[in-house]
Each structure stands twice: as structure tokens, then as C-alpha cells.
């Protein structure tokens, strides 16, 4: 510190390397099981108490409204314009709406739907 001015001190980073990898309609990061340090503090996967359900994502602590709990990454899908069916009726309903595309969903591929796989 110089006369109350904070001077940054840098150090060489260690540990896992993280970078932003946004999925596409054909590509998903090869680092699918890399644990995000933020998510480790906010959520965990555990057995659901809902009959017929398997695993679920749960808050690891109390979260204030509008707090990002986790980042969802999967293959981006587009609903066909002439489709009358909804994605909830598909065999694989592990999807959420894509916030970057109002007609799209983000799909978790079947090989990533369970921690046992």
C-alpha cells in the first residue's frame, strides 16, 4: 500500500484451468465433468424425494432471489417451426429453455443424465 492506494499483487495461478466453452447444436465441451468452483458452493446433485424421480439438483445453501444457482450446458436444439409437439413429450425431457434463443432448448445428452454413468 502506498499512501492509501491499494496496489494489486499477482501470483501464478494453480489448480484446474477454466475457460468459457459455449455449446452448439453439434458440439459439447470435452470437460463435461469439470466441477465449477461456484457451483460447488451453491448446488449439489442428490436423490429426489419425488416418487418416480431419480437425481435432482438442489440448493446447497439459502440463495437470495435472482441469484444464479448453476450454469446449464448441453447441446442446443431448435424446435421445428411446423412442430406441434412440445419437448416435454419427448423421450428425453432433460431440457431447459435456451435463454439465448426463445425458440430453442438446451438438451442434456443421455450419457450425462446420471452420475452413475
Amino acid at each position: 500500500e502506498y499512501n492509501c492506494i491499494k496496489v494489486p499483487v499477482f501470483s501464478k495461478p494453480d489448480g484446474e484451468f477454466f475457460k468459457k466453452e459455449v455449446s452448439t447444436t453439434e458440439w459439447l465441451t470435452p470437460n463435461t465433468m469439470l466441477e465449477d468452483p461456484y457451483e460447488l458452493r451453491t448446488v449439489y446433485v442428490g436423490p429426489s424425494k419425488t416418487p418416480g424421480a431419480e437425481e435432482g439438483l438442489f440448493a446447497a445453501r439459502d440463495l437470495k432471489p435472482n441469484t444464479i444457482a448453476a450454469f446449464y450446458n448441453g447441446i442446443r436444439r431448435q424446435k421445428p417451426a411446423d412442430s406441434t409437439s412440445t419437448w416435454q413429450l419427448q423421450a428425453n425431457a432433460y431440457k431447459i429453455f435456451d435463454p439465448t434463443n426463445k425458440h430453442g432448448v438446451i438438451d442434456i445428452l443421455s450419457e450425462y443424465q446420471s452420475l452413475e454413468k
Side-chain angles (χ1 to χ4, degrees):
E1 222 175 300
Y2 297 95
N3 299 327
C4 300
I5 297 174
K6 294 192 181 263
V7 176
V9 177
F10 298 97
S11 62
K12 188 173 182 171
D14 62 345
E16 297 281 351
F17 178 75
F18 292 86
K19 64 181 177 178
K20 183 177 180 179
E21 294 183 316
V22 178
S23 64
T24 67
T25 57
E26 298 175 1
W27 179 83
L28 184 63
T29 177
N31 302 309
T32 56
M33 299 307 287
L34 181 62
E35 292 182 310
D36 184 287
Y38 177 79
E39 290 178 348
L40 287 174
R41 296 190 317 269
T42 57
V43 296
Y44 68 95
V45 175
S48 175
K49 294 180 183 175
T50 302
E54 295 177 11
E55 297 162 335
L57 188 67
F58 302 92
R61 60 183 171 87
D62 289 340
L63 299 172
K64 292 180 181 177
N66 299 316
T67 298
I68 293 173
F71 303 98
Y72 193 91
N73 200 7
I75 295 294
R76 294 173 189 276
R77 306 273 189 220
Q78 183 75 21
K79 183 177 174 181
D82 61 349
S83 174
T84 57
S85 67
T86 64
W87 62 267
Q88 293 96 329
L89 301 177
Q90 295 176 359
N92 169 19
Y94 289 87
K95 298 174 179 62
I96 64 166
F97 294 105
D98 183 348
T100 65
N101 177 353
K102 75 177 195 174
H103 298 294
V105 294
I106 302 175
D107 184 8
I108 294 182
L109 301 175
S110 59
E111 60 263 34
Y112 302 113
Q113 293 173 11
S114 173
L115 290 178
E116 293 182 12
K117 292 182 181 179

